Amino acid sequence: MLSRESLGRVLERMSPESQSAARRESAARGMSVEDVVLEKCLADVEGQLYALRRRRPELRVVEGGRA
C-alpha cells in the first residue's frame, strides 16, 4: 500500500528538476506534493495497462524503473 511516507521517498529519489516541477504543480493546484507524485505514478501505471490491451502488447521503460 502506498503511504505519504513512501511517496515522500519517491520524491526524494526524483531529480532536482522533477522535484521542483512537482512542488510548483502542487502549489498551483493547491494539493500536496505527495498527491502530485501519486497522480503521476498512477498515470504511468494506467498507460502501461492500456499498452497491454493492444494487439501487440508492449511495455515501455519508465525512467528509473523497469518494464
Side-chain angles (χ1 to χ4, degrees):
M1 179 187 276
L2 292 173
S3 66
R4 293 233 180 259
E5 181 181 321
S6 63
L7 291 169
R9 287 194 303 267
V10 169
L11 181 66
E12 290 172 4
R13 296 181 75 184
M14 292 168 59
S15 70
E17 297 83 19
S18 295
Q19 287 179 15
S20 295
R23 287 191 175 97
R24 282 192 306 273
E25 185 174 341
S26 80
R29 295 178 63 192
M31 56 196 296
S32 72
V33 176
E34 292 86 2
D35 287 342
V36 169
V37 171
L38 176 60
E39 190 176 68
K40 298 298 182 191
C41 290
L42 291 176
D44 286 339
V45 170
E46 182 181 42
Q48 294 287 358
L49 290 174
Y50 283 113
L52 293 173
R53 297 172 110 190
R54 295 184 190 137
R55 273 198 188 278
R56 289 186 48 205
E58 59 185 62
L59 294 176
R60 64 182 168 78
V61 175
V62 177
E63 183 180 334
R66 293 182 279 233

